[in-house]
Amino acid sequence: MAYVVDTNCLLPIEDVQFFLQRFKHYGVPLGAVMNTDKTRIMTSTSSQSILPKLLHYQPNNGLSLTDAIAKYSNKNSQMHEEINGLCVLGSPIGSDSYQSTFIEEHLSKAKQDAANLLGGLEDDQTNLQLYRQCTTQRLNHLFPADVYAHANNSTCQPYRLMSMG
């Protein structure tokens, strides 16, 4: 028995449809069924679709990509072209606004979880151990993200070295 989970592929536009067709062709008989509600095809991080320009300047590639998105990337039963960003292995990849929103939401959730943890137990040592072993581990994947570039400057000041003279 085997599983295919959280696969990420970087492909040239002209290969997207072929790759997804081959994945379906070979995967389905082996039990690897693509979940089109979770599959995302990111074409841009500028919040603007590339499909209109692609259809105009490269109609074959535009039609192929449009068809691939329609068949394999759905959200609420509708074709979904990702144009802002994706979460790849827990890290935000995309526009500055996508990364900022992702980091703020994730840190807010972690803060709430930590507050719930601290409010539920009375023993300080148990709280500390649970926080160290569980809660903080949920943040490790954010380390490669550019957290400080998206931090609110009023609440996150850089460390300054002071000369002692």
Side-chain angles (χ1 to χ4, degrees):
M1 185 175 252
Y3 295 93
V4 178
V5 179
D6 291 341
T7 302
N8 298 288
C9 301
L10 298 171
L11 301 166
I13 290 171
E14 58 270 14
D15 293 343
V16 172
Q17 185 174 36
F18 174 79
F19 174 83
L20 294 169
Q21 287 171 338
R22 295 296 91 200
F23 187 94
K24 183 177 180 181
H25 175 78
Y26 291 111
V28 170
L30 299 171
V33 179
M34 190 181 316
N35 184 344
T36 59
D37 289 328
K38 290 186 176 182
T39 300
R40 293 293 175 254
I41 300 173
M42 183 169 67
T43 60
S44 168
T45 59
S46 68
S47 299
Q48 294 183 348
S49 173
I50 67 163
L51 293 177
K53 287 184 180 178
L54 193 60
L55 286 165
H56 183 266
Y57 293 107
Q58 297 177 14
N60 290 339
N61 287 337
L63 289 170
S64 173
L65 186 59
T66 301
D67 186 54
I69 294 169
K71 285 182 182 173
Y72 301 106
S73 181
N74 299 296
K75 189 173 187 176
N76 300 323
S77 300
Q78 300 289 319
M79 173 179 146
H80 180 74
E81 173 190 12
E82 186 56 62
I83 55 172
N84 293 306
L86 296 171
C87 174
V88 178
L89 299 175
S91 294
I93 307 295
S95 66
D96 286 347
S97 63
Y98 176 83
Q99 291 182 53
S100 294
T101 301
F102 181 92
I103 291 167
E104 288 172 18
E105 288 173 358
H106 202 77
L107 291 177
S108 176
K109 176 85 169 96
K111 182 178 177 181
Q112 181 61 46
D113 289 348
N116 291 341
L117 177 69
L118 294 173
L121 299 171
E122 295 179 15
D123 182 54
D124 289 341
Q125 185 173 2
T126 302
N127 277 336
L128 182 60
Q129 288 297 330
L130 284 171
Y131 184 77
R132 186 174 67 88
Q133 294 295 322
C134 303
T135 307
T136 58
Q137 299 303 314
R138 293 179 44 204
L139 303 177
N140 288 343
H141 63 277
L142 285 178
F143 291 151
D146 196 1
V147 175
Y148 292 111
H150 305 289
N152 181 340
N153 288 333
S154 64
T155 59
C156 182
Q157 296 297 322
Y159 178 75
R160 288 181 172 57
L161 292 176
M162 297 175 64
S163 67
M164 304 296 274

